Amino acid sequence: MAEETFITGAQNTWCPGCGNFAIEFALKNVLTGLEKDGIARENIVLVGGIGCHAKIADYLGINSFYSIHGRTFPVATGIKLANPDLHVICCAGDGDAYAEGLDHLIFAAKRNVDITAIIHDNRVYGLTTGQYTPTSYMGFKGKSTPLGSFEEPFNPMELMLCSGATYIARGYTKKMDTLQRVIREGIDHRGFSFVEVLQICATYNNMTEYYKPRMYDLEGHDPADFERACEKVREWDYNRDARIGLGVFYQVEKPTFGEHLREKESLGGKDLESAIAKILESKS
Ligand code: SF4
């Protein structure tokens, strides 16, 4: 199919300048590449949460599912387990993934579910007009924090590393090559892929001037080195004047949740058959 058909005719209601456009563009290019490499769009499913980001499910012409707030990961897990041939991509916002859905995110990583999580992290609840989220910076002034947030943001990359994610990367919406590369590699990775995407909310949290001088591409970093990955994910403390690395921080191959499950199911299946046979014998 033609590349342009990945964008639907649905009316786009994102604000001008919103970082979600860049993620949509990157995903469209990645999907086009997947199709060229023989992965039919029918075998790709996108699961969205609730928030501005989730409208991407309307704008991209692939199978998609709107889940409820914070529940993208269990929905995606169910889809993947039901049909392991599908490539399942979760798009979730920072509020969606790190607040309402935090426990689900941790368990998807812990279980190494073979899905790709793309987090649209603009560090604010945009759809509900500007409340702080778990990644809003200390001092952020919004509708729910008019005097400024007095909580430190947490570090989702570090959390994912501790939780067992087997692919951890960061992209930025104004660095399109890196963004597309880490999304594609995340989809190709067998296991739980976590792609943190820093984007701006043009209306409620435009951090372009903060991000611009700090971004750099990880070069010479060995993503197989866990200890080094620990250092790298901590390099940027959100409230300090540190550099912000982009690229793959950590990657390791491990059996997936689905592989474990199918192995148990096949064992369980034999037990079940013999148990049924015994019951039938006792009835005869
Ligand atoms: Fe984008 Fe923010 Fe507008 Fe939502 S409110 S569409 S995140 S710019």
Side-chain angles (χ1 to χ4, degrees), residues 53-214:
H53 78 273
K55 297 176 186 176
I56 200 166
D58 287 335
Y59 304 153
L60 283 174
I62 53 175
N63 294 315
S64 58
F65 189 106
Y66 268 106
S67 71
I68 54 176
H69 216 353
R71 305 302 189 263
T72 50
F73 308 111
V75 169
T77 299
I79 292 170
K80 182 68 185 180
L81 293 181
N83 187 346
D85 293 334
L86 298 177
H87 296 264
V88 186
I89 302 167
C90 282
C91 283
D94 45 308
D96 202 50
Y98 303 150
E100 285 84 0
L102 183 63
D103 48 350
H104 295 301
L105 174 64
I106 290 172
F107 273 84
K110 174 183 177 292
R111 291 168 175 155
N112 196 29
V113 182
D114 188 12
I115 57 178
T116 304
I118 299 173
I119 312 299
H120 301 223
D121 189 357
N122 54 18
R123 307 172 70 185
V124 70
Y125 283 100
L127 192 67
T128 48
T129 69
Q131 294 78 18
Y132 83 115
T133 72
T135 50
S136 297
Y137 52 86
M138 174 81 96
F140 170 79
K141 288 188 179 174
K143 291 280 168 63
S144 58
T145 50
L147 302 179
S149 167
F150 45 88
E151 294 178 27
E152 290 282 4
F154 74 48
N155 183 335
M157 309 277 287
E158 189 177 9
L159 182 73
M160 285 295 94
L161 197 59
C162 298
S163 301
T166 50
Y167 177 91
I168 300 173
R170 182 189 285 134
Y172 176 46
T173 50
K174 291 182 191 289
K175 297 271 187 185
M176 193 54 71
D177 288 351
T178 309
L179 180 59
Q180 288 175 187
R181 176 172 64 81
V182 295
I183 291 175
R184 174 64 199 255
E185 288 178 6
I187 294 170
D188 289 343
H189 175 77
R190 189 177 55 81
F192 186 72
S193 308
F194 175 80
V195 182
E196 155 88 351
V197 184
L198 296 175
Q199 68 165 92
I200 62 152
C201 169
T203 304
Y204 299 107
N205 196 21
N206 190 340
M207 299 186 66
T208 306
E209 293 309 311
Y210 172 81
Y211 287 142
K212 200 158 68 178
R214 292 178 172 78

